[in-house]
Amino acid sequence: MQETGSDQPPDQPTKRTLRGEFLAVRSRLTRDDAQKAAAVLADRALELPELAGARTVAAYVSVGSEPGTHALLDVLRARGTRVLLPVLLEDNDLDWAAYEGEGSLAHVQHPGKIQLLEPSGARLGPDAVLAADVVLLPGLAVDARGMRLGRGGGSYDRVLARLGRAGADPALVVLLYDTEVVAHVPREAHDKPVHAVVTPSGVRRFR
């Protein structure tokens, strides 16, 4: 069934199908390949002028075969950048807490979801993201328009809606593998384009 409000042509795969395909490819990555990609991704991302000038960055902790963020988080913190990390709430919205180093992260198993690494410090509230100059978004793919394919939980749709209601305009950046920048992903009415995607081979901007 076609997803409501989508620009999806009837003969093209749905978001659910695409998610399965991209996750299957990621699952075949070796640990060594993922670590090498993470190191290059960190270098690429740190070249972004948006990150160089950012006082506060809302990021996330990569898990499993996601494009790695751990090295990037540590360099940003070492630079003196305030790094906010998400805490998943029961309704799939996100609270935030400051990143205080690798030792401040805790494994959290949310019912029915993958195990996440979350910050163990004081919760700052869902509106803490409004202070971010850059928001690093997780994703599975981005297309030529800058439309992001997420995992389907809706957490970052809520974040983007919150930013929009507040009139906040941080740089929106996604970290992906090279094969995850594609020609087209389905777009729904609530979907918002990102400003840039960083892959091991470089940076592509959409604004």
Side-chain angles (χ1 to χ4, degrees):
M1 179 180 293
Q2 185 173 330
E3 298 185 41
T4 304
S6 174
D7 66 355
Q8 179 74 0
D11 60 340
Q12 294 296 310
T14 64
K15 283 187 174 183
R16 178 175 294 186
T17 300
L18 288 172
R19 287 185 186 110
E21 292 173 355
F22 285 116
L23 286 169
V25 173
R26 283 188 179 181
S27 72
R28 294 194 290 269
L29 283 171
T30 67
R31 182 180 179 86
D32 187 53
D33 286 341
Q35 288 178 339
K36 288 178 180 177
V40 178
L41 270 172
D43 290 341
R44 296 288 191 195
L46 290 166
E47 293 171 358
L48 289 172
E50 293 91 340
L51 281 179
R55 293 164 297 178
T56 300
V57 173
Y60 63 96
V61 186
S62 57
V63 294
S65 56
E66 281 188 311
T69 63
H70 293 256
L72 177 58
L73 298 179
D74 286 333
V75 173
L76 288 172
R77 181 169 175 264
R79 283 180 172 181
T81 305
R82 181 175 181 240
V83 179
L84 302 178
L85 295 178
V87 178
L88 185 64
L89 301 175
E90 287 187 9
D91 64 356
N92 274 1
D93 205 349
L94 298 179
D95 202 335
W96 300 86
Y99 178 54
E100 301 294 349
E102 193 75 22
S104 70
L105 300 177
H107 289 275
V108 179
Q109 181 64 61
H110 295 277
K113 300 180 177 68
I114 62 173
Q115 188 179 80
L116 300 175
L117 273 170
E118 295 182 346
S120 56
R123 304 296 188 256
L124 304 174
D127 283 346
V129 71
L130 301 180
D133 302 299
V134 179
V135 178
L136 298 180
L137 304 162
L140 294 173
V142 165
D143 72 11
R145 304 165 296 175
M147 303 310 303
R148 180 185 66 96
L149 178 69
R151 285 181 174 263
S155 297
Y156 280 89
D157 291 331
R158 297 186 185 205
V159 169
L160 295 177
R162 181 170 287 115
L163 292 168
R165 288 194 301 270
D169 188 30
L172 305 176
V173 180
V174 183
L175 305 180
L176 295 175
Y177 297 111
D178 289 319
T179 57
E180 295 169 344
V181 180
V182 298
H184 181 272
V185 298
R187 177 180 184 177
E188 297 176 67
H190 63 268
D191 289 334
K192 305 295 183 186
V194 301
H195 301 135
V197 58
V198 181
T199 71
S201 66
V203 175
R204 180 169 179 177
R205 296 182 179 276
F206 304 102
R207 179 174 77 168

